[in-house]
Amino acid sequence: MQCSVTSSGGPVFGKILPWVLTLLLSIAFPVVVYDVATGHGIGEVPALLLGSIGPALELAITAVWRRRVDEFSVVVLIFLALGVVTALFFDDPRLLLLKESAVTGLFGLVMLVTVPTSRPLMFLFGRRFATNGDPERVAWWNGLWAYPGFRRTQRGLTLMWGLTFVVEAVVRAVLTYRLPVATMVVVNAVVPPVVIGLLAVATFVWAMRARRAGEARRAAAEATQVPAT
């Protein structure tokens, strides 16, 4: 992630700002708006839709700040659009809440389908964030697919993310009809960012271990080569 702030605190600010936006707009905003709206007599469905303004605003701010819309932003935009469409046809707040679980689960299934292919989904996401769209780095990233260890890592990461999303979606779908709507608003606001954060940490650890293992294999291979005479 690049930040145009030139002060000495710029890089730190650039790393902290996305988390602040997520905490305020995607987690706190929906919960607070739902509580205030329903407390003033607004229906649960309109209250849920009003709460979606926060994540939409975060998406807009991030797009303007980064001057681009990445893959994850597009996914968030699709989630919000599905919420609006669902509200037009169903006047049931639990269906709106269930929609989020359904989309997450569907996304997880898509990831699982791509595991055995030549381009698992985490390979594409990894390329986006590792190269920042630079043509030379994109070519470098694509070239890494020639290494068996890299292929195993990308498929393993895609499997991990896909299974986690599916399980998380099933659990939230069950809770949607077992917990009060107000409680599920909090669950839907807090659980997905936490799950994604844990997956991101696990991905970083896995990738670092795979990188060290690859470097060790290359060093061992070079050590066994007989110098040319």
Side-chain angles (χ1 to χ4, degrees):
M1 180 183 303
Q2 296 179 344
C3 180
S4 59
V5 180
T6 57
S7 65
S8 58
V12 176
F13 177 78
K15 293 179 180 179
I16 294 177
L17 181 59
W19 293 101
V20 173
L21 289 176
T22 298
L23 288 173
L24 293 178
L25 297 178
S26 291
I27 296 179
F29 187 93
V31 175
V32 173
V33 168
Y34 177 85
D35 288 340
V36 172
T38 54
H40 285 76
I42 297 177
E44 291 181 329
V45 171
L48 289 172
L49 290 178
L50 287 173
S52 68
I53 294 175
L57 185 58
E58 180 193 0
L59 173 62
I61 293 174
T62 302
V64 172
W65 177 44
R66 293 179 176 177
R67 298 181 181 177
R68 67 176 185 271
V69 178
D70 57 33
E71 289 89 342
F72 287 117
S73 297
V74 173
V75 171
V76 172
L77 184 61
I78 293 173
F79 286 179
L80 295 175
L82 285 175
V84 174
V85 172
T86 304
L88 294 176
F89 292 97
F90 301 98
D91 190 25
D92 184 349
R94 294 189 186 275
L95 286 177
L96 282 178
L97 295 170
L98 187 62
K99 171 267 308 178
E100 298 185 21
S101 300
V103 175
T104 300
L106 179 60
F107 186 59
L109 290 175
V110 170
M111 297 190 84
L112 293 177
V113 169
T114 66
V115 169
T117 69
S118 61
R119 288 295 184 269
L121 209 52
M122 287 307 296
F123 171 85
L124 300 179
F125 283 135
R127 183 176 64 188
R128 180 66 183 85
F129 289 102
T131 67
N132 202 27
D134 179 77
E136 292 184 2
R137 292 190 61 80
V138 168
W140 160 76
W141 182 267
N142 290 338
L144 293 176
W145 190 255
Y147 299 98
F150 181 81
R151 295 197 296 270
R152 284 194 300 271
T153 298
Q154 298 305 312
R155 286 177 171 141
L157 290 174
T158 304
L159 181 63
M160 177 182 70
W161 281 72
L163 286 176
T164 302
F165 278 153
V166 170
V167 172
E168 185 257 2
V170 171
V171 171
R172 276 200 293 145
V174 172
L175 293 178
T176 297
Y177 286 94
R178 291 182 177 272
L179 297 178
V181 172
T183 303
M184 279 308 302
V185 171
V186 178
V187 171
N188 276 0
V190 174
V191 171
V194 171
V195 170
I196 291 176
L198 293 175
L199 284 171
V201 172
T203 298
F204 176 79
V205 173
W206 190 335
M208 290 299 99
R209 289 181 176 177
R211 180 178 179 180
R212 287 195 293 268
E215 292 174 348
R217 285 193 297 268
R218 285 194 296 271
E222 292 174 357
T224 58
Q225 289 179 353
V226 179
T229 57

